Amino acid sequence: MRLRRSVVASAVGVLIVALGAACSDPPPPGASDLVDPGTPAPKPSPTPSLPVGPLSGQPLTQPGVEARQAIAVPIRVTESGAATGLDAADLVYQEFAESGSLHLSAVYQSRDATKIGPVTEIRPVDIRSVGVLRPWLGYAGGPTGFLSQLAAADLSGVTPAKRSAAFPDGHTSTTALRAAAPKGGVAPAPLFEYATTGTPLASRDVTPASKLTVSASGHRTQTWTYDPAKQQWSGRVGKTTVTAASVVVLTMEYRTLTVRKPSPRSLPSANVYGKGKALVVSGPSSAKAQWSKPGQKLVCNVTDLAGYQVRPQPGTTWVIYAPTAARVAVT
């Protein structure tokens, strides 16, 4: 009897020890003790993305820039002269002017330039090219008839006669011109549908391109070459090397304007209203196209031969008004 009780007691003791050991084993995988979770860690806020410039298609570096008014400046460049501030422009319109010179209309919206010039007189090509953008102009006066056209187009600006401090040595800056502009100016609407990654320049007739030449009577041949490393087209105006993401050549008629006041002279003038042939180079590609601009307050549409909008690369766009007799070639 004593032996039986001892065996039972021993068995009970073993069972108790076993249960105690089981209670001290670590919890199975996935199990956890009940603890106070505390305050959850805040989720990181997404980095806000800045919009793109309406006239460049490039991401902006500062908020609010997309809403500001464009600045437009006419610039004259002779064959032996130099120009400043052009690489900061979103758009540059080029007219073949008298005596082998070029008349440029430089438009600034997304970027600023500390020195722009040499600033020249207003001409009809400036009014007709940039009027749709509703910019604030910085210009060096002009013939009486041209000033009347400017007023009729409901465009405003400032001249050295009104604010000489904004035009030191015949040049100006976007900061000086914005300081002279009244409040209430509106941002321009985009002129192009800019390409995104993988988007072709046109829906058809796209060919590789590395060199563009434009030869107009009375002027040196203008040559643009593509730099694959920088993804930019490079050319020269006068003695200045300029770059652009895209070059758009619009072929159109020129006519001769007779100016009487303040001094009699004759000037060539591009007829930017109408329609005609176009050639676009952007990135390593080129495409034949066509252009149409019915009037000042309407955008100049540049479409491929299938009727779809061309899509240039984001960045500076250089628009050349080529006379109908000019030779335009791309290789």
Side-chain angles (χ1 to χ4, degrees):
M1 180 65 69
R2 289 180 181 176
L3 178 61
R4 185 177 180 181
R5 288 180 179 177
S6 299
V7 171
V8 171
S10 299
V12 172
V14 170
L15 179 61
I16 292 174
V17 171
L19 289 173
C23 292
S24 64
D25 286 346
S32 62
D33 294 332
L34 181 62
V35 297
D36 181 6
T39 304
K43 295 182 179 180
S45 301
T47 302
S49 59
L50 293 173
V52 299
L55 301 182
S56 70
Q58 290 183 315
L60 299 171
T61 58
Q62 296 179 350
V65 172
E66 74 282 359
R68 67 183 184 180
Q69 185 178 21
I71 296 291
V73 182
I75 300 170
R76 186 185 179 192
V77 186
T78 63
E79 291 182 345
S80 59
T84 58
L86 293 174
D87 282 352
D90 293 328
L91 287 165
V92 179
Y93 294 94
Q94 173 187 312
E95 179 185 59
F96 291 95
E98 69 278 10
S99 304
S101 66
L102 301 175
H103 184 91
L104 309 177
S105 307
V107 182
Y108 304 83
Q109 198 280 333
S110 68
R111 294 177 292 180
D112 290 309
T114 57
K115 187 176 183 180
I116 306 169
V119 182
T120 191
E121 66 184 13
I122 199 76
R123 291 193 175 182
V125 69
D126 304 307
I127 301 167
R128 296 171 182 176
S129 298
V130 307
V132 69
L133 305 176
R134 312 302 303 165
W136 175 254
L137 290 153
Y139 62 102
T144 304
F146 296 172
L147 297 177
S148 297
Q149 291 183 39
L150 181 67
D154 196 26
L155 295 175
S156 302
V158 64
T159 65
K162 295 179 181 179
R163 183 173 290 202
S164 60
F167 299 88
D169 301 321
H171 292 71
T172 189
S173 67
T174 53
T175 299
L177 294 180
R178 291 192 186 282
K183 295 182 179 180
V186 297
L191 298 184
F192 296 100
E193 294 181 9
Y194 293 97
T196 56
T197 303
T199 304
L201 174 60
S203 67
R204 53 172 287 187
D205 303 313
V206 178
T207 58
S210 60
K211 182 179 180 181
L212 169 71
T213 57
V214 182
S215 301
S217 178
H219 293 77
R220 293 177 180 172
T221 296
Q222 192 172 35
T223 301
W224 293 80
T225 55
Y226 183 65
D227 185 337
K230 297 180 179 180
Q231 298 183 337
Q232 292 281 303
W233 286 85
S234 176
R236 289 183 67 84
V237 290
K239 292 184 177 180
T240 303
T241 299
V242 294
T243 59
S246 308
V247 183
V248 180
V249 184
L250 309 181
T251 300
M252 60 187 60
E253 294 183 352
Y254 272 60
R255 58 181 178 173
T256 301
L257 302 180
T258 300
V259 176
R260 293 182 174 84
K261 295 181 181 180
S263 59
R265 52 193 166 123
S266 295
L267 305 173
S269 179
N271 185 15
V272 301
Y273 297 159
K275 58 184 178 181
K277 296 180 180 180
L279 179 68
V280 182
V281 295
S282 185
S285 304
S286 71
K288 293 181 180 180
Q290 51 199 356
W291 68 271
S292 174
K293 182 174 173 62
Q296 176 199 319
K297 296 184 179 181
L298 299 174
V299 171
C300 180
N301 283 308
V302 183
T303 58
D304 62 23
L305 299 185
Y308 295 99
Q309 294 284 335
V310 296
R311 294 189 174 185
Q313 294 295 315
T316 300
T317 302
W318 196 286
V319 182
I320 298 175
Y321 296 146
T324 52
R327 297 189 302 277
V328 180
V330 63
T331 54

